[in-house]
Amino acid sequence: MPETIVVDGRDHLLGRLASIVAKELLSGKKVVIVRCDQVCVSGSLVRNKVKYAYFRKLRHNTNPSRGPFHFKSPARMVWRTIRGMVHQKTQRGQDALSRLSTFEGIPHPYDRIKRKVIPAALRVVRLNPIRDYTVLGDLANEVGWKHQDLLKSLEEKRKVKADAYYQKKKARDALKAKATAAAEGDLAEVNKVLAASGY
């Protein structure tokens, strides 16, 4: 079973995120990208809408149902960007693509798993603060994605649950620290033996 990496897409630049993820997929890792709706693209919303409108016009001359297909959901936009970076017409590229999952929001079970960021792809690191940028969820909403409001309500519910879990965890950790401090004197001899044994 390949190692699974869960990446939080929030505030990452799309192209930089995609290129790093593509490399990880080709090296045999399984990658899950959550919060694709909060991935960023450089350039203003108006500019990106114009670019997307041009992309929407590209189609098969006699039978448009053969493609190219214009995905409207942020998760599929991210997936398609990465698809172009893994040499997907080879078996190796298809295998790499099968190890990729993309989601809007943070669905179960990934809300219980530690998520990672990619510093080399973060907008605050890579994009000049005076430059405009577009959030992929807003662009998708403008071009026909219908689930932005639903996602917002689901994310609010998830955040309430996550906060309750965090407060419980904090209280548990405080109790453990208190118990450790209380037993410090009794365990001094034991700790000395353990330290001598390399623990």
Side-chain angles (χ1 to χ4, degrees):
M1 189 72 183
E3 181 193 344
T4 303
I5 302 167
V6 181
V7 178
D8 188 350
R10 181 177 168 271
D11 232 20
H12 286 67
L13 288 173
L14 176 60
R16 290 178 183 275
L17 171 69
S19 64
I20 292 164
V21 168
K23 204 68 176 168
E24 292 297 317
L25 292 168
L26 288 167
S27 69
K29 294 191 174 70
K30 186 180 188 311
V31 181
V32 177
I33 306 175
V34 294
R35 290 214 275 197
C36 288
D37 51 293
Q38 292 184 35
V39 170
C40 298
V41 185
S42 60
S44 68
L45 180 59
V46 172
R47 178 182 169 81
N48 281 303
K49 272 172 70 178
V50 170
K51 285 164 78 172
Y52 197 85
Y54 174 76
F55 169 62
R56 283 282 295 273
K57 283 203 300 189
L58 303 179
R59 61 179 213 152
H60 191 283
N61 198 17
T62 56
N63 186 2
S65 67
R66 289 185 179 178
F69 303 110
H70 313 102
F71 298 119
K72 295 191 185 87
S73 83
R76 292 305 270 175
M77 287 179 184
V78 173
W79 180 86
R80 193 181 200 274
T81 306
I82 294 167
R83 185 186 72 177
M85 298 183 183
V86 295
H87 211 351
Q88 53 104 14
K89 291 189 179 182
T90 64
Q91 188 59 50
R92 179 173 178 244
Q94 282 298 316
D95 290 346
L97 211 55
S98 71
R99 290 191 288 271
L100 172 67
S101 301
T102 55
F103 298 99
E104 292 97 10
I106 309 178
H108 181 81
Y110 304 112
D111 55 346
R112 303 271 177 99
I113 297 171
K114 189 170 175 63
R115 300 178 287 279
K116 297 184 178 179
V117 297
I118 299 171
L122 285 172
R123 178 184 58 80
V124 289
V125 176
R126 288 298 183 176
L127 197 64
N128 193 319
I130 64 164
R131 297 295 174 199
D132 286 332
Y133 66 92
T134 304
V135 177
L136 213 54
D138 295 340
L139 176 64
N141 191 51
E142 292 284 336
V143 299
W145 181 53
K146 296 186 176 72
H147 305 294
Q148 195 174 36
D149 294 334
L150 169 65
L151 184 66
K152 199 176 280 184
S153 69
L154 289 172
E155 279 293 278
E156 279 164 9
K157 282 182 194 168
R158 180 189 65 77
K159 283 175 184 172
V160 168
K161 280 168 71 178
D163 185 54
Y165 167 77
Y166 178 63
Q167 296 304 334
K168 213 161 37 173
K169 180 176 181 286
K170 218 158 60 164
R172 198 168 62 235
D173 289 350
L175 277 173
K176 186 181 174 187
K178 194 175 172 186
T180 307
E184 197 77 29
D186 302 339
L187 295 174
E189 289 298 316
V190 177
N191 285 337
K192 201 180 287 180
V193 174
L194 286 172
S197 307
Y199 289 101

